Amino acid sequence: MASESGPGSTDPLLLPRRRAPSKGGWKSALFIIWVEVAERFAYYGISSNLISYLTGPLGQTTAAAAAAVNAWSGAASMLPLLGAAVADSWLGRYCTIVASSVLYIVGLGMLTLSSMFPSPQQCRGAVDSQGACPPSSFQTVFFYISLYLVAIAQSGHKPCVQAFGADQFDATDPGESSSRASFFNWWYFALCVSGTVTIALMSYVQDNVSWALGFGVPSLVMLLALAIFLLGTRTYRFYGSGGGGGGGSNGGASAGGTFSLVGKAFAAWRKRRSKRQEAAWPVDLPLENGDVAEDAALAEEAGTLDRRVGPAFQVPPAALQCFLGVSIVACIVVYDRVLVPVARRVTGAASGITLLRRIGTGIALALVTLVVAALVEMKRLRAARDAGLVVDGAAGAAAVPMSLWWIVPQYVLLGAADVFAMVGMQEFFYDQVPGALKSLGLALYLSVLGVGSYISSFLITAIDGLTTRDGGTSWFADDLNRGHLDYFYLLLAALTALDLVAFTYFSASYVYRRKGGNSH
């Protein structure tokens, strides 16, 4: 065989991947989407209310609990790089998904067991000042081992399931190419529906019924996810070892493994860039720190507004996150069923608009969202001053005579920004990497979110330290009526504007890889 890239090459980056023509497509993709729905239910069933468990049954301080949640969330976002490397270089996507699902179920089961340790009635009088049974060192260690098992399991599951779902469509076929572009939209749609339902349902169960049931239900849902995935095995489209598509006996990439393939991909990128033909790796991608930080700040801000709906019901601040999920779901439907068909007729592209234009539009919408958030916060602060609610030494922010509906447009805009930028990034990272590295590409997308979370935490910590250094009032004061979230939103808007300028500059010189199906 020839050793150079060409028609006779056996280079796994260029070798076409064989597939069974009767398999794959939407039938297979729907099995995989339902698996993601179940997995997100399980993940958000743990993560959405984790800080309440740490400060409640485990008895940690708010600061310690927040640090633990940030560390775990960051690990859950960065570990997919390792899981994807294992999938692309050894197990293949299918086997990695099965193994990760089993580990997921074990971790969730252990979490359930950790929440069933002795109750106050079983403590024989050994309770803390609040009447709660203090956790033993063994319980705490057992809990954290279980929690990080879930993070490790998610690291193999998350990038591989989405890549395996996209593998079910052939980019060289015009009809399937359009379907693959649509797949990423409906994937995110299902993810957001699952997350919204989970946050509304499981937080209530955990706070009002029991933590054992709150952790046990995700365990059963994850078991169901594995059963659904295995049920669809006969319908899946598998590829040869060169493609890394993965599964069954084919495994992942061979010929030196993932790191060898990354080196070859980089060498190919440099060669192609010198000839101005095509790039194999992205040049620049957005880091939407604003989205990460703003979402947390909005929840705090919402707690100070008039949240009454009707004479008796009051919307919980955390439940306002559901507005974001509903906005994303609605925007995906409009984007996929209205905007894409119209743009497709104009541009002739299967995806309607190019991936980088989609991402850039999302960054621009995030910028608009932050400006609107700053203006609304300025209005809220004026309302607090006019009502005489800005009081020195207050323990917390008093309710402001301003309706929660003022904050809803920010969630709508943030949802639209996610539909353009986040879904666009997912498709970009999948589409613009070699076939043998698809899982690793999506893991890189997840790592961007992890880095964004860490940068957001750094910004908040640094700003809080600077604004309180000389006895001043923090922008994030416990009494938000004395703080300045409006300044924080404007700072994020300025950073996002710089990000948009940099992204526009680099994306202007980016040359897309040619469509070569799942083999490139």
Side-chain angles (χ1 to χ4, degrees), residues 172-480:
T172 60
D173 179 274
E176 291 199 17
S177 178
S178 299
S179 294
R180 194 175 80 175
S182 185
F183 165 80
F184 285 95
N185 293 326
W186 293 109
W187 176 273
Y188 205 61
F189 174 95
L191 183 152
C192 292
V193 169
S194 178
T196 301
V197 172
T198 303
I199 290 170
L201 178 63
M202 296 312 301
S203 60
Y204 176 84
V205 171
Q206 292 164 352
D207 290 341
N208 298 282
V209 182
S210 75
W211 285 100
L213 182 62
F215 290 155
V217 170
S219 303
L220 295 176
V221 169
M222 198 60 214
L223 183 61
L224 176 63
L226 177 58
I228 291 173
F229 183 73
L230 295 175
L231 187 64
T233 299
R234 291 183 178 274
T235 74
Y236 298 147
R237 180 178 293 171
F238 294 97
Y239 298 95
S241 61
S249 61
N250 292 332
S254 55
T258 295
F259 296 107
S260 173
L261 294 176
V262 169
K264 291 181 180 181
F266 182 73
W269 173 76
R270 294 195 62 179
K271 180 179 179 181
R272 289 162 180 164
R273 286 291 292 172
S274 66
K275 296 181 179 180
R276 297 295 298 170
Q277 291 179 349
E278 63 171 350
W281 291 95
V283 177
D284 183 66
L285 289 167
L287 187 60
E288 293 192 271
N289 306 317
D291 281 9
V292 178
E294 186 193 7
D295 199 26
L298 283 176
E300 293 291 327
E301 183 183 356
T304 68
L305 300 177
D306 182 358
R307 294 174 279 112
R308 290 174 296 178
V309 177
F313 182 72
Q314 183 164 275
V315 179
L320 288 175
Q321 297 177 61
C322 294
F323 284 120
L324 177 60
V326 171
S327 171
I328 291 174
V329 167
C331 289
I332 285 175
V333 174
V334 172
Y335 182 86
D336 193 76
R337 294 304 179 190
V338 179
L339 295 181
V340 169
V342 172
R344 191 177 291 153
R345 286 195 292 269
V346 174
T347 65
S351 60
I353 60 175
T354 64
L355 295 177
L356 290 177
R357 285 176 181 170
R358 179 174 184 171
I359 296 170
T361 301
I363 301 174
L365 285 172
L367 173 58
V368 174
T369 304
L370 289 163
V371 172
V372 170
L375 294 175
V376 171
E377 175 62 7
M378 290 176 186
K379 176 178 175 58
R380 192 194 67 80
L381 291 174
R382 282 196 301 270
R385 287 193 297 268
D386 293 344
L389 300 176
V390 181
V391 181
D392 290 340
V400 176
M402 179 175 165
S403 173
L404 69 87
W405 299 111
W406 277 94
I407 210 171
V408 171
Q410 300 168 55
Y411 280 103
V412 174
L413 286 170
L414 194 59
D418 273 3
V419 169
F420 278 90
M422 307 303 280
V423 182
M425 286 173 64
Q426 290 174 14
E427 187 174 358
F428 185 91
F429 273 104
Y430 177 87
D431 188 72
Q432 294 296 297
V433 297
L437 302 173
K438 297 294 189 184
S439 300
L440 189 60
L442 287 170
L444 287 170
Y445 153 74
L446 294 170
S447 71
V448 167
L449 304 184
V451 172
S453 296
Y454 284 128
I455 292 178
S456 295
S457 298
F458 169 77
L459 279 176
I460 292 173
T461 302
I463 292 170
D464 185 62
L466 289 172
T467 53
T468 58
R469 184 172 53 185
D470 298 322
T473 302
S474 171
W475 288 6
F476 315 104
D478 290 338
D479 181 359
L480 290 184

Side-chain angles (χ1 to χ4, degrees), residues 43 53 55 70 80 96 111 125 146 151 166 174 180 205 243 252 265 307 310 365 465 467 476 478 485 498:
Y43 180 80
Y53 184 79
T55 56
N70 281 335
T96 302
L111 276 177
S146 308
R180 194 175 80 175
V205 171
R307 294 174 279 112
L365 285 172
T467 53
F476 315 104
D478 290 338
L485 285 181
L498 292 175

Side-chain angles (χ1 to χ4, degrees), residues 473-493:
T473 302
S474 171
W475 288 6
F476 315 104
D478 290 338
D479 181 359
L480 290 184
N481 295 334
R482 299 180 63 243
H484 273 292
L485 285 181
D486 53 340
Y487 293 171
F488 182 56
Y489 291 145
L490 290 174
L491 174 62
L492 292 178

Side-chain angles (χ1 to χ4, degrees), residues 115-137:
S115 66
M116 299 171 67
F117 279 72
S119 63
Q121 291 78 13
Q122 298 170 303
C123 287
R124 299 178 181 177
V127 297
D128 61 20
S129 59
Q130 296 180 340
C133 182
S136 64
S137 298

